[in-house]
Amino acid sequence: RLRELDLSDCGGLDDLAVVLERSELREQLRVLRAGASYGVGTALDAAHLSRALAPTRLVELSVPGCFLSADDVRRLLASDCCRELT
């Protein structure tokens, strides 16, 4: 059972959404931490990630250093996967 995925301090998150879309375990995921140390940074496609995580109900989302714009953050927070975030 996969409840938590911690990819903190991992670069190269370009394929994260693709991997999650293909995973049979994504519906079980409750915590996602992905990103790089502050100052290092990595690109993350928020639109693709929100679609990939649509069946997921996250209770924690952490994406430091992922170069997200305000629109990206709004898109993620408004997506189905983030409905249970408090």
Side-chain angles (χ1 to χ4, degrees):
R1 192 162 214 206
L2 177 68
R3 308 256 317 142
E4 186 172 317
L5 181 60
D6 190 346
L7 299 172
S8 299
D9 296 324
C10 291
L13 296 174
D14 299 337
D15 296 326
L16 178 61
V18 173
V19 170
L20 289 170
E21 279 179 327
R22 294 178 181 171
S23 173
E24 296 176 10
L25 301 174
R26 70 181 170 164
E27 291 181 24
Q28 300 173 21
L29 189 62
R30 296 294 174 255
V31 176
L32 176 61
R33 295 182 194 103
S37 298
Y38 289 100
V40 176
T42 186
L44 186 64
D45 184 339
H48 194 179
L49 184 63
S50 63
R51 287 190 305 273
L53 291 174
T56 305
R57 297 299 173 255
L58 296 175
V59 295
E60 181 181 329
L61 175 63
S62 175
V63 288
C66 286
F67 301 128
L68 297 177
S69 68
D71 286 338
D72 292 334
V73 173
R74 276 191 288 274
R75 177 178 286 119
L76 276 171
L77 292 176
S79 66
D80 289 340
C81 68
C82 291
R83 287 188 297 183
E84 295 184 20
L85 288 178
T86 56

